[in-house]
Amino acid sequence: MVTLIKVLTAFASFILWSLLTGCGVDSDVVVDQESASTLEVFEQTSAPKSKVPASVSEVSLVQSIVPLADQVEDVVDLLEPVTFTVLTYNVENLFDADGVALFDDYKVDSGYTPRKLLTKLQSIASVLKSVDDGDTPEIVLFQELEADFTPESTVVDYDAFLEMYSDTTVADMLDAEWSDGYAGYPASAWLLKALADEGLTGYHVVTAEYRGAGSGSAHTNAIFSTFPIISHQAHPLVLARDIIEAELEVEGQSLFVYVNHWKSGASNPNLEPVRVENAKVLRRLIDARLVADPQADIIIAGDLNSHYNHSALFPNMVTGVNDILGSTGIESFNEADLYNLWFELAPEARYSEVWRGRIGSLMHVLITQGLYDDSGISYIDGSFDKLVIPGINADTIGRPIRWHSTGETGGGVSDHFPVYARFSLGAFEATAALSTGENVSSYEYPLTVAQFNGDLKLKNGSFLNSLSDAELIPYVGQLYTVDAVVESIRPLLLKVGRRTWPAYYSDSRYIEEGGLPLYIKNHRGQVRLVVQFNFYRGKSQLIVEDILGAW
């Protein structure tokens, strides 16, 4: 449709040119913009050629064509359907700089500084700028912004906050121009300013209300929307972050969003009863909305700390996400009222995290039947995906580069990939067969260096030996080969050249018989490894990713 309109634009410009040059209008006639814009053709008038040189008349003719093209482009803008992006992102511990925190790593004298907050903000902004080729993603649903534990200095009017600091940048505020007066600003305000500095503007912001230090919850959810937020309400959960329920107005149409961050510990069956209770609260909210309007346009998003196939992974227990909430892969809605967009991807591509060498799908976007009808807002079929940007938020084989606060600046981004989908005004249009929900895996796919089929083109990592922790920060998450000597298994210590490194392993089999102990027994500990450089609790370490053999 857009291509056709652009063709018509060019055709209209060509017709006007033809009218002016081929229908009796001399090339030396100056056609003013008002005449051109109203498409009036005046009688031919003569002018002495000496008064209107050819070069001037050509410019005038071009100028007369431009207004028509501009008007046709305006029509194009009006005819193009409104499309927008909804993205959900657990940013992993985006804490403000006041030093008042539930986590020790972010308290006063912990080593967490405004400069590290700046690194975190810049990393998040870099990720979000990649969603729509630098344009502002219209709706972003965040998890793990720090709850504001200094509400007396919070930001109530975000627009006023941006206006107050419009003559400076977040980079200056959190570095060279740092002032103690900035310390009380919440994470949501810092994030808004960082995005605005990168050209991602126009957001209305909602976070859950302050619940006090006694709540036990270090984090809050947040909504950043370029569309007006008509109403919002926070719904407390047991041992989890409040659900934010909000109504957004998208070009006169109501869109209801529910931002979630359920109880952590997806791999721990003992915590599933808590997530079941979390799911019951959300299910009641959805049921109430659908009773009021069965065709309501609803998006459920966030970190549910459950996999899309949780009931297949844990078949002997009731799961919150599948059994209580009712998440399925049935896109026809004839058996359930929630469709999980993970089913838009192949099973091996359904992941937003990698934990102990296995992929996971904790981040979710679920939608209702209203987004498949002929009116209001519709899902753009096949638009769902995860946002993986090698070198920014992902390593060489496609695993998240998680955040660390080591050194002067910290580094990394998050242990989660954001996931997103696109929507439009108008009727839903299927571009592929609807999902039947049958391709559900009963296991978690591996994602390890040892099983990676691509060409890693790894460099030798011996140069890391000579670097200080501060100098090592840019190499976090990078893969290298090293010739090491295994000095011990528990704790795992690797000597590379003259430096002994604390080490860990991506697969527990590496420290079992047949793994590294074999090289101590038969090769004096000499082994060639693929390692990832990282930090753990502020200390540099090497993570064993693969065993290549003796050296």
Side-chain angles (χ1 to χ4, degrees):
M1 180 66 179
V2 174
T3 301
L4 175 60
I5 293 172
K6 289 184 176 179
V7 169
L8 292 175
T9 302
F11 185 61
S13 297
F14 173 75
I15 290 175
L16 180 59
W17 178 276
S18 299
L19 287 171
L20 293 175
T21 59
C23 298
V25 180
D26 290 341
S27 62
D28 57 356
V29 175
V30 178
V31 182
D32 63 24
Q33 294 186 8
E34 180 179 350
S35 300
S37 64
T38 57
L39 294 182
E40 296 177 2
V41 180
F42 283 63
E43 284 187 324
Q44 176 179 332
T45 57
S46 299
K49 291 185 179 181
S50 61
K51 290 185 179 180
V52 186
S55 61
V56 175
S57 63
E58 290 169 2
V59 171
S60 300
L61 185 58
V62 172
Q63 289 176 338
S64 68
I65 294 173
V66 169
L68 176 63
D70 288 344
Q71 289 196 21
V72 177
E73 288 289 354
D74 290 341
V75 173
V76 171
D77 292 339
L78 291 173
L79 293 177
E80 286 184 332
V82 174
T83 63
F84 60 94
T85 297
V86 177
L87 177 144
T88 187
Y89 194 7
N90 181 328
V91 292
E92 191 188 10
N93 293 334
L94 176 59
F95 276 60
D96 60 33
D98 60 15
V100 181
L102 291 187
F103 292 175
D104 290 342
D105 290 347
Y106 300 93
K107 291 181 178 179
V108 174
D109 300 327
S110 65
Y112 183 69
T113 63
R115 181 61 186 83
K116 293 178 182 180
L117 170 58
L118 174 60
T119 298
K120 181 78 170 179
L121 294 169
Q122 291 173 330
S123 298
I124 296 170
S126 294
V127 172
L128 294 182
K129 285 186 69 175
S130 303
V131 182
D132 288 326
D133 297 325
D135 292 337
T136 302
E138 288 80 3
I139 301 173
V140 186
L141 310 174
F142 287 109
Q143 296 82 49
E144 287 203 14
L145 273 64
E146 187 195 15
D148 188 7
F149 292 108
T150 53
E152 66 279 0
S153 57
T154 194
V155 172
V156 177
D157 188 334
Y158 287 95
D159 290 337
F161 173 79
L162 290 180
E163 178 62 27
M164 183 184 303
Y165 296 109
S166 60
D167 60 346
T168 187
T169 65
V170 72
D172 286 335
M173 293 175 71
L174 291 173
D175 197 0
E177 297 178 4
W178 172 254
S179 165
D180 289 342
Y182 298 162
Y185 292 146
S188 54
W190 288 118
L191 180 55
L192 183 68
K193 173 61 175 169
L195 297 181
D197 287 353
E198 293 297 323
L200 306 180
T201 60
Y203 284 121
H204 309 278
V205 177
V206 164
T207 62
E209 296 180 1
Y210 174 68
R211 289 175 55 188
S215 68
S217 181
H219 302 125
T220 187
N221 298 322
I223 299 173
F224 280 45
S225 171
T226 61
F227 300 114
I229 301 174
I230 304 303
S231 64
H232 62 91
Q233 184 177 356
H235 302 276
L237 295 181
V238 175
L239 297 176
R241 281 61 51 165
D242 294 1
I243 297 172
I244 301 180
E245 176 185 24
E247 179 183 358
L248 313 182
E249 183 182 343
V250 181
E251 301 295 326
Q253 303 293 327
S254 290
L255 175 65
F256 299 95
V257 298
Y258 296 81
V259 192
N260 295 262
H261 190 184
W262 292 2
K263 177 61 182 173
S264 59
S267 60
N268 186 347
N270 294 327
L271 294 175
E272 192 60 24
V274 180
R275 285 186 290 273
V276 164
E277 294 304 313
N278 296 165
K280 287 179 180 178
V281 174
L282 178 58
R283 186 67 251 186
R284 285 194 294 267
L285 296 173
I286 301 304
D287 286 343
R289 182 65 60 191
L290 291 176
V291 166
D293 180 5
Q295 293 301 114
D297 295 331
I298 298 174
I299 297 175
I300 299 166
D303 181 352
L304 303 185
N305 272 307
S306 309
H307 304 289
Y308 84 93
N309 55 343
H310 217 63
S311 59
L313 298 176
F314 300 95
N316 297 320
M317 70 180 185
V318 174
T319 65
V321 67
N322 297 125
D323 299 306
I324 303 300
L325 181 60
S327 166
T328 74
I330 303 173
E331 201 172 4
S332 63
F333 298 97
N334 56 13
E335 297 180 29
D337 55 12
L338 295 179
Y339 174 55
N340 193 319
L341 291 180
W342 277 120
F343 284 86
E344 300 287 278
L345 305 180
E348 65 273 13
R350 297 172 189 166
Y351 75 96
S352 49
E353 304 80 25
V354 178
W355 172 248
R356 293 179 177 174
R358 301 280 174 172
I359 65 173
S361 53
L362 305 186
M363 303 298 298
H364 296 262
V365 178
L366 297 91
I367 55 181
T368 58
Q369 186 173 3
L371 292 163
Y372 282 76
D373 59 20
D374 295 331
S375 62
I377 300 165
S378 296
Y379 168 60
I380 297 178
D381 198 18
S383 66
F384 175 82
D385 209 345
K386 59 185 179 292
L387 189 60
V388 180
I389 316 164
I392 295 180
N393 72 336
D395 70 7
T396 308
I397 68 170
R399 300 173 299 188
I401 301 176
R402 68 176 307 170
W403 164 252
H404 70 87
S405 58
T406 305
E408 294 183 2
T409 63
V413 189
S414 172
D415 53 353
H416 302 264
F417 290 136
V419 296
Y420 66 94
R422 293 191 167 92
F423 300 83
S424 66
L425 291 182
F428 171 76
E429 296 182 10
T431 59
L434 298 181
S435 168
T436 60
E438 295 176 354
N439 55 346
V440 179
S441 62
S442 58
Y443 63 95
E444 298 167 287
Y445 283 86
L447 182 56
T448 65
V449 170
Q451 295 171 300
F452 185 71
N453 293 323
D455 184 3
L456 295 176
K457 297 180 180 179
L458 299 180
K459 298 180 180 179
N460 188 291
S462 59
F463 75 96
L464 299 171
N465 289 339
S466 62
L467 302 181
S468 67
D469 279 359
E471 294 170 325
L472 284 166
I473 289 174
Y475 304 101
V476 168
Q478 302 302 309
L479 298 172
Y480 301 97
T481 59
V482 295
D483 290 340
V485 175
V486 182
E487 293 191 335
S488 69
I489 296 296
R490 291 184 175 85
L492 183 57
L493 297 174
L494 301 175
K495 187 172 184 179
V496 181
R498 296 183 178 180
R499 181 168 180 172
T500 297
W501 293 84
Y504 194 62
Y505 41 87
S506 61
D507 189 327
S508 61
R509 289 176 297 180
Y510 292 153
I511 63 169
E512 297 171 358
E513 292 298 325
L516 294 176
L518 180 67
Y519 289 84
I520 294 177
K521 180 179 180 180
N522 298 332
H523 302 283
R524 297 179 298 175
Q526 295 177 342
V527 60
R528 180 164 294 159
L529 303 169
V530 177
V531 298
Q532 180 196 102
F533 173 72
N534 221 310
F535 285 96
Y536 178 69
R537 294 183 175 176
K539 303 296 184 181
S540 56
Q541 68 170 3
L542 300 179
I543 300 175
V544 176
E545 297 280 7
D546 197 9
I547 299 174
L548 302 180
W551 58 272

